[in-house]
């Protein structure tokens, strides 16, 4: 429905998108005992690290190969080897996940060849899984980095059982591939829904176990939870793969090609019909009826939609987000009667064709601000707050990063409960900006004001003059005459 258009400006003004290496690093953090590494300069890693720390308010494990001017020209083999050995010695992770940056991609480092040489020369790394994905930050966006990272882990860590498929060997097990637009709270909710149908999930990646804001019992220099590498060896035994978000289509297809496990792709889980389809799919896979609690939650969502449409109907909205998040939020608001006036995104995606809007612009926050000037509501991450202040437009923070609010890891927008909560959040924001009457809202005409406030009568003139009281003038001895 929407036509994707690219901005033709000479430069990005106040960029909307986050980089591919950052998205890939975030995906790697959903693996247990993992150390993500950016192959590039220290500044590239530091910038991404700051964004992740400010968003989650947690300690983030992220390392760098610390490329400089000389190693960039001569090649980064020694930096990669040194980084791998230091990480192995100090943190001893089960997985070291490397993503490239624009610096090393421009140079053209053969990282796959470097890793093969390191494996030959350093047998002490034999028990450590190493994954590498190419994620230059001069193309793509945050969502693309996550997509490439998950697809890379499928191709490099999941055993190829296509010659002898084991599909259904674990009849109560499914594979869950969540997109980058889902929060740890969203993933936790989906896993809870699966559990209520008697299904267990191998989630890749699972940031709900590593970035959910828990306090660990011990300190580790790696990720503190998530999916273990050995769990990936059992993905071929699942009865189905559930992919959430169009960005997970590549990983789901790669997993199906390697294991034969059939794929069910869900573009979004924020809404009514999409969650109906999701629950019916789980009912079919598990052979169980939909639990009564979800029938109740569906009824509550219907009531929330009825209550909320009074405040969202016919409202014009400007949204700036990654494609899958843009579609999930935009489609839900459209179902509530809102009009998607301005939609700005970061990269190309097939899901944008389904967006209920005229165009989806691949642009920046300047483009979003121009469009939001004519809108009733603006949605994007925290970098858009100044634009909303300048426009005086109600502003809802969504996506990554959100560094001026806490609890981002636990925000819920999926399932019946999450959709209901999202409606309440948006409707309450609009209610807070409804203009209220004040005493001067309906001024009285002059005649009515004269009646309400009659003029005071003039003071009559006295026939004799009024003398002023004498002032005290004490004498030298202090006695007043």
């Amino acid at each position: 429905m929407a036509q994707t258009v690219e901005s033709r400006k000479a430069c990005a003004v106040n960029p909307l998108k986050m980089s591919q290496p950052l998205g890939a690093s975030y995906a790697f953090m959903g693996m247990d005992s993992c150390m993500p590494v950016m192959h590039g300069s220290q500044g590239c890693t530091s910038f991404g690290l700051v964004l992740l720390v400010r968003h989650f308010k947690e300690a983030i494990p992220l390392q760098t190969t610390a490329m400089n001017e000389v190693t960039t020209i001569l090649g980064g083999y020694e930096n990669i080897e040194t980084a791998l050995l230091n990480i192995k010695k100090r943190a001893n992770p089960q997985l070291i996940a490397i993503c490239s940056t624009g610096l090393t991609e421009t140079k053209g480092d053969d990282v796959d060849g470097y890793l093969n040489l390191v494996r030959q020369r350093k047998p002490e790394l034999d028990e450590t899984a190493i994954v590498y994905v190419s994620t230059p930050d001069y193309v793509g966006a945050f969502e693309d980095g996550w997509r490439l990272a998950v697809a890379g882990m499928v191709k490099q860590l999941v055993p190829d059982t296509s010659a002898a498929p084991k599909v259904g060997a674990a009849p109560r097990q499914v594979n869950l591939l969540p997109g980058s637009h889902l929060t740890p709270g969203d993933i936790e909710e989906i896993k809870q829904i699966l559990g209520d149908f008697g299904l267990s999930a191998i989630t890749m990646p699972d940031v709900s176990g590593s970035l959910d804001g828990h306090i660990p019992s011990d300190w580790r220099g790696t990720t503190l939870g998530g999916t273990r590498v050995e769990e990936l060896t059992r993905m071929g035994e699942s009865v189905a793969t559930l992919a959430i978000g169009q960005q997970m289509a590549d990983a789901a297809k790669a997993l199906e090609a390697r294991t034969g496990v059939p794929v069910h792709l869900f573009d979004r889980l924020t809404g009514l019909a999409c969650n109906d389809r999701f629950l019916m799919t789980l009912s079919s896979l598990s052979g169980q009826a939909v639990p009564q609690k979800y029938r109740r939650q569906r009824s509550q969502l219907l009531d929330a939609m009825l209550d909320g449409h009074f405040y969202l109907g016919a409202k014009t909205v400007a949204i700036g987000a990654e494609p899958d998040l843009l579609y999930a939020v935009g489609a839900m608001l459209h179902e509530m009667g809102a009009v998607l006036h301005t939609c700005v995104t970061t990269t190309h995606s097939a899901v944008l064709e389904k967006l209920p809007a005229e165009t989806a612009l691949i642009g920046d926050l300047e483009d979003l601000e121009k469009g939001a000037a004519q809108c009733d509501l603006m949605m994007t991450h925290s970098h858009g707050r100044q634009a909303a202040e300048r426009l005086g437009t109600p502003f809802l923070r969504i996506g990554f990063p959100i560094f001026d609010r806490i609890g981002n890891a636990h925000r819920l927008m999926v399932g019946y409960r999450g959709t209901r909560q999202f409606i309440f959040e948006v409707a309450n924001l609009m209610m807070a900006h409804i203009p209220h009457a004040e005493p001067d809202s309906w001024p009285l005409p002059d005649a009515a004001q004269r009646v309400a406030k009659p003029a005071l009568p003039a003071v009559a003139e006295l026939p004799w003059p009024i003398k002023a009281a004498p002032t005290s003038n004490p004498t030298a001895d202090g006695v007043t005459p």
Side-chain angles (χ1 to χ4, degrees):
M1 291 166 48
Q3 179 183 4
T4 303
V5 179
E6 290 192 36
S7 175
R8 297 301 180 183
K9 294 190 300 186
C11 65
V13 181
N14 199 4
L16 170 67
K17 76 170 187 176
M18 301 293 112
S19 68
Q20 277 197 129
L22 183 57
S25 299
Y26 180 37
F28 293 142
M29 289 173 192
M31 302 299 295
D32 185 38
S33 187
C34 174
M35 179 60 75
V37 180
M38 285 191 185
H39 181 38
S41 67
Q42 289 178 317
C44 295
T45 306
S46 298
F47 181 72
L49 182 63
V50 167
L51 289 174
L52 289 166
V53 169
R54 296 183 72 190
H55 180 84
F56 289 104
K57 309 295 190 292
E58 304 292 339
I60 300 296
L62 185 61
Q63 289 294 333
T64 176
T65 56
M67 298 288 287
N68 57 32
E69 295 86 346
V70 175
T71 54
T72 298
I73 295 172
L74 299 180
Y77 170 79
E78 292 184 358
N79 290 60
I80 289 181
E81 181 183 88
T82 302
L84 292 175
L85 294 176
N86 286 338
I87 292 171
K88 174 66 176 178
K89 178 180 179 180
R90 298 179 181 180
N92 193 27
Q94 296 296 312
L95 171 65
I96 300 177
I98 306 173
C99 56
S100 65
T101 62
L103 178 68
T104 53
E105 288 285 352
T106 302
K107 163 61 173 62
D109 271 1
D110 180 15
V111 180
D112 289 318
Y114 292 168
L115 294 179
N116 290 333
L117 186 57
V118 170
R119 287 291 194 188
Q120 297 173 14
R121 296 182 54 185
K122 303 297 178 181
E124 57 266 38
L125 296 172
D126 289 347
E127 296 181 359
T128 304
I130 302 176
V131 170
Y132 167 70
V133 292
S134 174
T135 55
D137 48 16
Y138 46 75
V139 294
F142 187 84
E143 182 178 291
D144 294 308
W146 176 286
R147 171 178 59 85
L148 293 170
V150 178
M153 288 190 286
V154 168
K155 296 174 183 177
Q156 300 176 51
L157 297 178
V158 177
D160 189 346
T161 58
S162 57
K166 301 179 182 178
V167 180
R172 311 299 294 179
Q173 175 182 293
V174 296
N175 302 322
L176 177 61
L177 303 179
S180 61
H181 62 299
L182 301 181
T183 67
D186 289 333
I187 298 175
E188 189 174 2
E189 176 75 4
I190 296 172
K191 290 163 60 178
Q192 177 63 51
I193 295 174
L194 294 174
D196 289 336
F197 280 89
L199 300 172
S200 61
I202 297 178
T203 307
M204 184 174 72
D206 187 6
V207 292
S208 72
S210 57
L211 291 173
D212 59 338
H214 66 283
I215 298 178
S217 57
D218 60 345
W219 182 88
R220 284 188 293 170
T222 61
T223 53
L224 302 171
T227 303
R228 299 188 303 275
V229 174
E230 55 266 25
E231 292 183 70
L232 305 186
T233 61
R234 298 187 286 107
M235 297 187 81
E237 302 173 2
S238 299
V239 295
T241 295
L242 307 175
I244 315 300
Q246 181 64 40
Q247 61 189 289
M248 303 314 297
D250 291 347
K253 292 177 182 177
L255 184 59
E256 184 177 24
R258 295 182 68 84
T259 63
V261 178
V263 174
H264 300 270
L265 178 65
F266 300 88
D267 291 330
R268 60 184 174 114
L269 290 182
T270 302
L272 181 65
C274 57
N275 278 292
D276 290 346
R277 174 176 167 247
F278 182 64
L279 292 187
M280 293 307 298
T281 300
L282 298 185
S283 178
S284 175
L285 293 174
S286 64
Q288 296 184 12
V290 177
Q292 183 61 35
K293 64 180 287 188
Y294 295 109
R295 300 172 186 266
R296 179 78 171 185
Q297 288 181 10
R298 187 179 190 276
S299 178
Q300 293 171 342
L301 173 57
L302 287 172
D303 182 72
M305 295 175 71
L306 177 63
D307 295 340
H309 91 278
F310 292 105
Y311 305 99
L312 300 178
K315 298 297 183 183
T316 53
V317 185
I319 308 175
E322 300 283 338
D324 277 338
L325 181 59
L326 173 62
Y327 175 67
V329 171
M332 184 63 230
L333 291 174
H334 175 74
E335 292 170 2
M336 292 296 297
V339 178
L340 303 187
H341 179 276
T342 301
C343 296
V344 183
T345 190
T346 58
T347 185
H348 288 276
S349 174
V351 79
L352 295 176
E353 299 176 0
K354 304 177 183 179
L355 188 68
E358 292 185 3
T359 59
L361 174 65
I362 300 178
D364 53 31
L365 289 175
E366 183 187 54
D367 300 318
L368 181 65
E369 182 175 356
K370 290 180 179 178
Q374 308 173 39
C375 293
D376 301 307
L377 175 64
M378 177 177 169
M379 295 183 178
T380 189
H381 51 61
S382 290
H383 288 148
R385 67 194 187 282
Q386 296 97 336
E389 291 174 1
R390 286 191 291 268
L391 297 174
T393 303
F395 179 53
L396 183 67
R397 292 160 175 81
I398 60 172
F400 176 90
I402 301 177
F403 46 74
D404 53 349
R405 295 291 185 272
I406 64 172
N408 300 311
H410 300 282
R411 195 175 190 182
L412 184 60
M413 291 178 59
V414 301
Y416 294 137
R417 285 201 314 140
T419 305
R420 180 190 65 193
Q421 188 60 38
F422 174 68
I423 292 173
F424 290 157
E425 188 175 6
V426 181
N428 287 335
L429 176 63
M430 299 308 296
M431 288 178 66
H433 287 79
I434 294 177
H436 295 282
E438 298 178 354
D440 296 330
S441 298
W442 299 282
L444 295 174
D446 294 339
Q449 290 189 27
R450 286 195 297 269
V451 174
K453 299 179 180 180
L456 295 176
V459 179
E461 294 184 0
L462 298 177
W464 57 87
I466 299 177
K467 295 182 178 180
T471 58
S472 299
N473 188 15
T475 60
D477 57 2
V479 179
T480 301

